[in-house]
Every structure is written in C-alpha cells, then in structure tokens.
Amino acid sequence: MVQKAKILLVDDRPENLLALEAILSALDQTLVRASSGEEALKALLTDDFAVILLDVQMPGMDGFETAAHIKRRERTRDIPIIFLTAINHGPHHTFRGYAAGAVDYISKPFDPWVLRAKVSVFVELYMKNCQLREQAALLRLQLEGGGKATAGGGAKEPAGLLAELSARLAAVEEQAEALSKQLDDESADAAAVATAAHLERKLTGLRRALDALEPGTGNSAPSVTSQN
C-alpha cells in the first residue's frame, strides 16, 4: 500500500481550514490542520509534509514569521510553502512572501481548481522522492550486505536483487519523466520545474550506481550517499 503524503494547512480561521479541506480532499492525501504558526511548527517537529499552505495574516506569529522559522530548520527548509492571503498590498507585499521562502503566493479568493492543481504537483514530486529514497536504501543494503539480505529479511542472490532494484527504479524513472513532460506542457511554476529536475538528477545517479554493479562491468561497487 502506498503511503499517503501529508499536507499542512495553516490558518487561524476554522472556516478557511474547512474550505481548504473541501478543495483538497479530491487528492486523497492526509490533510493536517494547524490554527497558528506555533501549532504548525510543532507539527513539523514530528511529521514530514509534501507541501504547506500557509495563511499570511494570523494573530501572534504571522505567516511570514512562521515561514522564516520553517526555513531556518534543516529538517523543514526544503518543504514547499504556498502563501494564501486575503490582502493585497501590491508587489512589495508579494516580494516579501517570496523572500520568506514561498514557492507561490496566492490571493483570496482563489480558483479552487488552480490551487488543487498546484498542490498536486508538489505531492507528486514528494512521492517520487520517497520512492527514490527507498530504492537508494535497497541499493545500500545490497552494497553493505553483499546481496544476502532484502528489505523483507529474506535471502536473495545479488543478480536477482539487482534485477528487482533495476525494475523498481525503471518504474520511478518512467513516472518522473511523465511528470516532467506534464510540467513543461502546463508551464508550471519555476520552483516545481526545478524540483523535478533535481529529482531526475538523483535518479540518474542511482541508475549509474546500479549499472556499475551489473556483472561484467569491471567496476567496483560505487559508494551511494543520501542526497537531499
């Protein structure tokens, strides 16, 4: 069973959170509420999120300050943030949102379909990165255990494990390629395109490492490091 991605919704008004849940429920992911910046930061201490929808105007710690805290933490600095705001003070206000680390800045009222489409892109990228990390973990297991252990604890010959890893990686590569084409066709946000390109580079590195392990290549086992 594929694990669902978590999406963090941050707004001090319950009716706004309810509206966001109604819009994003079609994505069939896990929606997590936070009614303040402090509550959002607490949720980010323990859970991983694909994307954060962050209201700008909140009492106490506002959206800009919350985003600054998120970007200062190593664990959370790479999580995409989409700012939502009911106020529009011109380009300087928008610039402040991007300067705080947002990948997008959307004024209310917004088109529900557009918001859902934007969030779905970051969810897909998150899921592909999760799949990539799983393949990298299996490859490290192969290198460290000499091909004798598998994720399920059973024994498997090196050639068989390599074939399984290659097939799984091929599936992720195919999905990543389709996603990149979709982003090109839809003229997506620069941040989403850059994230997809980063994912493809990591896939290429893992594919080279697997190819180097194939019998007859004459190469020694490469080192596999975790990439953020």
Side-chain angles (χ1 to χ4, degrees):
M1 182 179 296
V2 178
Q3 186 175 1
K4 294 182 179 181
K6 291 183 178 180
I7 302 170
L8 183 58
L9 314 177
V10 189
D11 199 303
D12 62 298
R13 302 184 64 176
E15 62 270 27
N16 290 343
L17 291 171
L18 187 62
L20 288 174
E21 288 176 337
I23 293 170
L24 300 176
S25 61
L27 298 180
D28 193 27
Q29 304 300 325
T30 301
L31 305 178
V32 178
R33 284 188 174 201
S35 58
S36 66
E38 292 86 354
E39 191 174 333
L41 294 176
K42 186 179 296 184
L44 288 163
L45 287 174
T46 55
D47 291 325
D48 294 324
F49 291 91
V51 61
I52 301 169
L53 274 63
L54 180 58
D55 183 43
V56 171
Q57 203 170 19
M58 295 186 294
M61 184 184 296
D62 66 12
F64 295 132
E65 188 178 353
T66 303
H69 282 289
I70 292 171
K71 293 303 178 181
R72 280 198 292 265
R73 293 179 179 176
E74 183 177 357
R75 174 188 173 92
T76 59
R77 65 178 55 163
D78 294 324
I79 302 177
I81 298 174
I82 298 177
F83 272 132
L84 304 176
T85 179
I87 57 177
N88 186 3
H89 294 313
H92 293 294
H93 198 263
T94 303
F95 175 78
R96 186 182 175 192
Y98 287 116
V103 298
D104 210 338
Y105 192 98
I106 303 177
S107 297
K108 304 174 185 177
F110 47 77
D111 186 327
W113 187 92
V114 171
L115 179 64
R116 187 164 53 242
K118 287 177 180 289
V119 171
S120 69
V121 168
F122 289 107
V123 168
E124 286 190 64
L125 289 171
Y126 174 82
M127 299 298 285
K128 299 299 180 295
N129 271 295
C130 287
Q131 290 177 325
L132 180 58
R133 284 195 295 269
E134 291 175 0
Q135 307 314 312
L138 284 173
L139 179 55
R140 283 194 296 270
L141 186 62
Q142 160 69 16
L143 295 175
E144 295 167 1
K148 297 302 182 182
T150 66
K156 181 171 287 192
E157 292 301 319
L161 181 55
L162 284 176
E164 180 180 338
L165 285 170
S166 182
R168 292 188 182 187
L169 181 58
V172 179
E173 289 171 329
E174 183 179 351
Q175 293 170 347
E177 182 180 359
L179 180 58
S180 294
K181 290 180 179 179
Q182 177 185 345
L183 291 175
D184 290 339
D185 293 341
E186 295 178 354
S187 301
D189 297 326
V193 174
T195 304
H198 181 57
L199 173 63
E200 288 187 344
R201 288 194 297 271
K202 292 198 291 184
L203 284 169
T204 299
L206 187 54
R207 172 57 68 186
R208 287 174 179 168
L210 272 177
D211 290 344
L213 290 173
E214 289 292 336
T217 60
N219 296 328
S220 59
S223 60
V224 179
T225 59
S226 176
Q227 302 181 46
N228 296 324

